[in-house]
Amino acid sequence: MRIPVIIDTDPGVDDTLAILLALASPELEVLAIIISFGNTDIESSYLNILKLYKAIAKHLEQHPEDHARFPGYSSSTKIILAKGADHPLKGDLHSAQYFHGRDGLTDITHRHPDLDIKDIPQTHSYLHFANKTGVEVAAELIASRPTRSVTYLVLGPMTNLAQLMRRHGDVIRSRIGRIVCMGGALDVPGNTSPVAEFNFFADPYAVRELLTPTSPEMGLPLERFLLLPLDLTTPHELPFPYYRDKVDAAFESTKKPSRSQDKPPLVHFTSAFLERTREIMIEFGKDAMELHDIVALWCAIENLPSPDDAVGAIPTLQPGWRATKRKFEVERVGELTRGMLVVDRRDDPGAYAPGVNRAEVQAELDRHHFHHTGDYESTAVPAQVEVERSDQTEPLPDNPAGIACVVETPGSRALVKLMMERIWGTQGYAFDDMS
C-alpha cells in the first residue's frame, strides 16, 4: 500500500534531499508539493523544485537504468506543484538565508549556473502547475481521497497548515490520516536563536493556533499528529567525509567546486549545494550535515496512518519508533524568545522533580556515575530548594492531551543507509566505516 502524502515545504538544503528521498521511495505516493516561505522567499523556493526535477531528468537521460530508482518522479499521475503562504500569520517575516543562501540552495544559482532555471515552462512532463493556492489544492486532495489515508508532511513553517485549518478545518479533522511535522526545540538549544528552532521561529502564531489553541475545536486532531523536534533530529547526521567516500570522490568545498563533467548529474546537483553547506557546518564545529527534514520524511515513510489512532492516545508507530507526550506553549512576541517552546516541567515525567536544584542534582549524578533514566532529564537524587507554593503560581494554559513528540527512531545509520541506496544508488553500505 502506497501512502498518499502532501509535502508542505520551503525547499532549502535538507528539504531538497527529503524530496529526493520521497521521489525515490516506493512506499509514498506524492500527491502535491506545497511551497512556503521560510528558508528563502517563496519564488526562489518554487524554482528549487524545478531545479531538482531538472537534475533528475538530466540524470535519467544519461543513466536510464536508474528510472526504477525514482518511482515518484516518473509516476503516471503528475505531482501538483502549488504556492502557499509567503509570510507568517502575524509578525515579521524572517528567512534562513544565512544558512541556505539567497536561492535556498547555498547560491548554486550563481556558483553553478548550469543548474539554474531561467524561465518557468508553461507545462511540465511530471509536474502539474496549479492555478489554485496550495491551501485549496491540499483541501481538495484530502477530501477526494479515502478517509484517514493522506499524510500531511510539514517541513517548513506551519502557516499553510494553519490557513488550511481556518478554511477547511472540518475536512481536515474528519479526513486527515496523519500529520508529521519537523519543528521546535524542547530540551535543547535552538538553531535560529538560543531557544528557537527555525520553523517555529518563522511563524509561532501558526504553532500556537494549531497545537495549543484557546479552544479545543480550533486545533489539529492531536491523536494523528507527530512532532519531530531538534532534540530528535539533530543527532541524525550525514558525515561529509562519508558522502565523499560513498557518493562523490571529488567532493570538497566551494574552493574546489563540483564539475558537471566529472560525475553523474544527480551527484553534481547534490554536491553543488552540499559543498557550501559543509563549509557552514564546519564553522559550527562539525563536518556533517544534520538531517532534520529528512528524518520527518523518513517517519512518514515508515509509519502508515492508522485507524487505531484514538483521541487522547499517541499515534501508532512501527517498531523502532517511539513517541512521548509533552506539554508546552510557544512564545510568540518575546524580544529574545520568539518561537521558544516553554515546557511545563511541573507535571512532566521527563523533567526533574519540582523544586530540584539542577546543578546539585547533576553534580550528584556525576559523582555516582549515574546515567539519565528518562527520555530527556533525570528524576533521580532530588536536592530540595525553597520553592513557591502551588497556590502562588499560575499554570500554563491547560493542554490535557499534550503533543506526541518522537523520541526514538531506528537510528542515524539506518537513515543514512536508506539515503545512500535510494537517492544515490550506492550499494554495499558498511556500518563500521561510518565516522
Side-chain angles (χ1 to χ4, degrees):
M1 176 181 176
R2 298 178 70 196
I3 307 168
V5 60
I6 297 170
I7 302 177
D8 184 340
T9 178
D10 54 340
V13 173
D14 54 333
D15 305 66
T16 298
L17 287 177
I19 295 169
L20 278 171
L21 181 57
L23 297 177
S25 294
E27 300 89 344
L28 300 183
E29 178 189 5
V30 182
L31 304 177
I33 300 173
I34 311 298
I35 304 300
S36 171
F37 77 97
N39 289 325
T40 186
D41 62 90
I42 194 168
E43 300 299 333
S44 297
S45 292
Y46 191 87
L47 287 175
N48 286 345
I49 299 298
L50 300 183
K51 292 173 188 175
L52 180 155
Y53 267 75
K54 175 183 175 181
I56 297 177
K58 189 171 183 180
H59 182 89
L60 296 180
E61 286 175 6
Q62 296 184 18
H63 301 275
E65 70 278 8
D66 286 346
H67 266 282
R69 210 170 79 229
F70 293 95
Y73 171 81
S74 55
S75 172
S76 58
T77 303
K78 291 185 178 182
I79 294 172
I80 301 172
L81 180 61
K83 293 180 182 178
D86 60 3
H87 60 277
L89 296 181
K90 294 182 182 179
D92 295 336
L93 175 64
H94 293 269
S95 76
Q97 293 180 11
Y98 64 90
F99 184 91
H100 296 272
R102 176 64 184 81
D103 64 358
L105 288 177
T106 68
D107 293 322
I108 62 171
T109 301
H110 300 108
R111 291 188 293 103
H112 295 278
D114 59 303
L115 298 173
D116 194 18
I117 294 289
K118 300 298 183 184
D119 300 300
I120 299 177
Q122 295 296 313
T123 61
H124 194 281
S125 300
Y126 299 110
L127 290 170
H128 171 71
F129 301 133
N131 54 13
K132 300 179 180 179
T133 67
V135 167
E136 297 307 315
V137 166
E140 290 178 6
L141 287 169
I142 293 167
S144 68
R145 289 295 178 126
T147 300
R148 295 203 177 190
S149 66
V150 175
T151 291
Y152 192 96
L153 180 62
V154 187
L155 303 182
M158 298 186 81
T159 315
N160 288 328
L161 184 56
Q163 292 179 345
L164 183 60
M165 288 298 296
R166 285 180 176 185
R167 300 175 192 174
H168 306 280
D170 290 344
V171 171
I172 306 309
R173 278 185 284 268
S174 64
R175 302 189 66 87
I176 197 68
R178 186 67 60 82
I179 300 168
V180 179
C181 174
M182 189 277 131
L186 289 160
D187 301 300
V188 297
N191 60 0
T192 293
S193 77
V195 295
E197 178 276 332
F198 174 75
N199 289 342
F200 280 20
F201 176 88
D203 193 348
Y205 290 91
V207 178
R208 169 62 187 273
E209 194 166 302
L210 293 170
L211 301 186
T212 58
T214 53
S215 57
E217 65 273 10
M218 294 295 292
L220 293 171
L222 294 180
E223 71 276 6
R224 285 169 272 159
F225 180 85
L226 286 167
L227 182 66
L228 293 94
L230 285 183
D231 310 58
L232 175 82
T233 62
T234 299
H236 292 74
E237 298 178 344
L238 171 60
F240 287 119
Y242 192 82
Y243 174 83
R244 181 179 58 217
D245 292 344
K246 295 294 182 180
V247 178
D248 182 0
F251 176 74
E252 192 61 45
S253 67
T254 59
K255 296 178 180 178
K256 186 182 177 183
S258 179
R259 290 163 47 91
S260 60
Q261 59 267 41
D262 296 338
K263 60 197 73 171
L266 188 59
V267 173
H268 171 54
F269 175 64
T270 58
S271 291
F273 61 77
L274 289 178
E275 61 194 18
R276 175 57 186 151
T277 305
R278 184 185 195 186
E279 293 173 341
I280 297 170
M281 291 306 301
I282 288 175
E283 291 174 4
F284 291 160
K286 64 169 68 174
D287 195 8
M289 176 186 172
E290 296 168 356
L291 304 176
H292 304 293
D293 292 328
I294 302 152
V295 178
L297 189 281
W298 185 32
C299 182
I301 291 173
E302 295 217 344
N303 294 283
L304 278 165
S306 173
D308 298 329
D309 292 342
V311 175
I314 292 175
T316 306
L317 297 176
Q318 294 300 307
W321 295 82
R322 187 167 63 89
T324 189
K325 288 200 173 184
R326 303 298 299 275
K327 294 182 181 181
F328 57 78
E329 287 288 326
V330 61
E331 176 60 66
R332 292 160 291 165
V333 296
E335 179 183 0
L336 301 175
T337 57
R338 170 182 169 138
M340 176 184 181
L341 297 185
V342 182
V343 180
D344 191 345
R345 305 181 190 280
R346 293 168 294 184
D347 185 25
D348 184 339
Y352 285 109
V356 166
N357 182 317
R358 299 187 183 202
E360 291 185 20
V361 169
Q362 191 59 54
E364 191 71 7
L365 289 171
D366 292 342
R367 188 169 69 84
H368 291 287
H369 305 291
F370 289 159
H371 299 289
H372 292 323
T373 58
D375 292 326
Y376 294 93
E377 296 178 321
S378 175
T379 58
V381 200
Q384 294 298 322
V385 296
E386 183 178 356
V387 295
E388 295 174 309
R389 300 191 311 273
S390 59
D391 60 357
Q392 294 176 316
T393 61
E394 290 293 329
L396 289 174
D398 189 29
N399 180 8
I403 308 299
C405 299
V406 179
V407 296
E408 184 178 314
T409 77
S412 181
R413 294 185 179 188
L415 176 55
V416 171
K417 178 179 186 295
L418 189 73
M419 295 172 65
M420 289 289 162
E421 293 175 349
R422 293 190 175 183
I423 297 176
W424 295 291
T426 301
Q427 304 297 321
Y429 183 95
F431 284 95
D432 293 340
D433 65 354
M434 181 175 174
S435 58

